[in-house]
Amino acid sequence: MIKNINILITGGNSGIGFFAIINLLKKENILYIVIKNEFRKNEFLKKIEKYFDENYLSKFLNIIENCDLSDLENIKKIKDYFISKKIFLDVVVLNAGLQYTGSFYPKVSKQGIELTFAVNHLAHFYLVNVLKDFIRNKEESRIIITSSDVHDPKSSGGNIGKKAGLNNLVDFRKKVTGQFLNFNADEAYKNSKLCNILFAKELEKKLKISSSKISVITWAPGLVIPNDHSGFFRYSKRFNLFGYLIFSKAAKNILGISESIENAGKILSEIVLNADLNNVGFIYLSNKLIARKKHKLVESNVSDEANSDELSSKLWFLSEDICRSFGFVTLNI
């Protein structure tokens, strides 16, 4: 088990990330948490202080505040934070994610990018590019990306509703910037999870070329439904609260197909610290349902589309080009 390391995590103020942070703090790791605004920060501190006293938190917890990841300007703010403090990281956890399935209209970022793509993929793509030189080149170092099995149209969640599919990126730029062709919120989320894996595979390929020891680990937590009004489903509830309540009750209590948020957070913390994942290159792990209310994390195959080297390369170049078009220059990893 790896201990006493520097960890940056996005999406840590609620949901899976919050419970991962609790486990990581217990083992005296130094955490850097990206938080969107003052309200979310205060909300997070109120919750985390139920688990740790202020002295302990002052030693191990650091908050990079007022960083809305949908705004690419804030990614530079994160880079400046680590430059100013001369801090190097062992692990970067790209866990932030949102979906607003049920909406008929796209939400957009400050740069006018469809919000799901902006947060789930592009912000993390740009963040890795600007922070690459701040990640220690060691066997235990890793970049972890929270994806989902719904990236695969053949999976139990991916085959419901609009399926993931990038169509070799034909008109894809128009789908995520400006024109938002044939927008579908469910498809946008599934495609963002497909982008996560394609990005991870291309990143690992580039790191390998430079003889880097940093691993790139993607994982799917399964169907995780929080008990409160925060976290991942907070946007979707606004569009179909009644449907959400029926679905969540059935998934948790009748069908037993959902994973608890506490256990999903524990799994993420284990992926961060598991020495068996040192220097693995690229790997995709899925928290598979093996029996009612029972899951197991296993190495899994990605979808046929996610396995395309050509598509992963094309997505990388497109992501670079979109960043550059708004004046955000990426590094040559």
Side-chain angles (χ1 to χ4, degrees):
M1 186 70 72
I2 305 167
K3 293 182 179 180
N4 307 120
I5 57 175
N6 290 344
I7 305 162
L8 170 68
I9 181 167
T10 67
N13 59 296
S14 64
I16 294 170
F18 178 77
F19 287 98
I21 286 169
I22 290 171
N23 287 290
L24 293 167
L25 284 174
K26 285 178 180 177
K27 294 178 170 56
E28 299 188 347
N29 296 291
I30 300 174
L31 275 288
Y32 298 89
I33 316 300
V34 177
I35 293 188
K36 183 176 182 179
N37 53 40
E38 192 74 14
F39 174 78
R40 293 273 177 86
K41 183 186 84 167
N42 293 334
E43 195 178 53
F44 169 75
L45 289 174
K46 187 177 178 180
K47 290 189 298 180
I48 203 74
E49 284 168 1
K50 294 177 182 177
Y51 296 87
F52 307 96
D53 65 42
E54 287 186 25
N55 289 334
Y56 192 88
L57 290 175
S58 67
K59 186 177 180 181
F60 296 106
L61 178 67
N62 304 274
I63 294 176
I64 307 172
E65 55 188 298
N66 296 319
C67 274
D68 180 350
L69 289 176
S70 71
D71 182 356
L72 292 174
E73 283 284 356
N74 289 321
I75 306 300
K76 294 197 294 184
K77 185 189 294 185
I78 298 170
K79 177 185 177 182
D80 291 342
Y81 176 91
F82 288 104
I83 289 174
S84 66
K85 294 187 178 294
K86 299 179 181 178
I87 293 165
F88 287 86
L89 297 161
D90 300 286
V91 177
V92 173
V93 182
L94 306 176
N95 176 68
L98 64 83
Q99 57 108 320
Y100 50 99
T101 297
S103 173
F104 294 107
Y105 305 101
K107 294 174 178 289
V108 297
S109 72
K110 184 178 177 180
Q111 282 79 36
I113 302 165
E114 191 279 315
L115 203 59
T116 317
F117 181 80
V119 174
N120 298 6
H121 169 66
L122 197 64
H124 289 148
F125 168 84
Y126 187 45
L127 183 60
V128 167
N129 270 271
V130 301
L131 285 186
K132 192 267 178 184
D133 291 338
F134 294 87
I135 305 172
R136 292 189 178 106
N137 186 18
K138 302 192 303 183
E139 289 196 350
E140 56 267 43
S141 296
R142 59 199 63 176
I143 297 166
I144 300 166
I145 305 171
T146 300
S147 184
S148 172
D149 283 339
V150 301
H151 83 275
D152 187 351
K154 297 176 183 176
S155 70
S156 56
N159 64 9
I160 299 172
K162 193 79 171 177
K163 297 177 177 60
L166 300 185
N167 190 30
N168 203 30
L169 299 186
V170 174
D171 289 331
F172 186 70
R173 184 168 187 152
K174 293 178 182 179
K175 289 174 76 79
V176 296
T177 62
Q179 297 183 37
F180 312 114
L181 295 178
N182 303 313
F183 174 75
N184 179 282
D186 183 36
E187 180 189 34
Y189 173 69
K190 290 171 181 172
N191 279 346
S192 75
K193 297 292 100 179
L194 175 55
C195 288
N196 287 158
I197 298 170
L198 289 165
F199 161 51
K201 288 176 69 68
E202 187 68 15
L203 173 61
E204 190 272 336
K205 190 195 308 178
K206 291 178 180 297
L207 290 171
K208 187 182 289 184
I209 291 171
S210 63
S211 301
S212 173
K213 298 173 184 175
I214 301 168
S215 296
V216 184
I217 302 167
T218 51
W219 79 296
L223 176 62
V224 180
I225 302 175
N227 296 318
D228 58 19
H229 297 292
S230 66
F232 181 68
F233 285 102
R234 63 183 176 272
Y235 295 105
S236 293
K237 290 178 186 176
R238 300 175 190 173
F239 301 107
N240 188 5
L241 179 60
F242 184 66
Y244 168 79
L245 291 174
I246 293 175
F247 167 72
S248 61
K249 291 287 185 185
K252 287 195 281 190
N253 303 324
I254 300 172
L255 301 173
I257 59 174
S258 65
E259 175 63 281
S260 74
I261 201 161
E262 295 84 358
N263 197 50
K266 181 173 179 288
I267 292 168
L268 177 53
S269 67
E270 289 169 350
I271 294 171
V272 172
L273 302 176
N274 188 350
D276 289 340
L277 295 172
N278 289 358
N279 203 21
V280 293
F282 169 84
I283 192 171
Y284 179 68
L285 304 170
S286 177
N287 190 29
K288 295 289 188 185
L289 180 71
I290 57 174
R292 187 176 183 275
K293 295 190 176 182
K294 188 175 181 181
H295 291 75
K296 184 178 181 181
L297 189 72
V298 295
E299 184 176 354
S300 298
N301 294 321
V302 299
S303 72
D304 294 341
E305 197 170 7
N307 214 24
S308 168
D309 289 340
E310 179 186 2
L311 188 58
S312 66
S313 179
K314 289 176 72 172
L315 177 65
W316 185 283
F317 286 122
L318 176 63
S319 302
E320 275 189 324
D321 194 50
I322 292 174
C323 288
R324 196 178 297 114
S325 70
F326 292 105
F328 302 103
V329 180
T330 59
L331 300 176
N332 185 22
I333 295 180

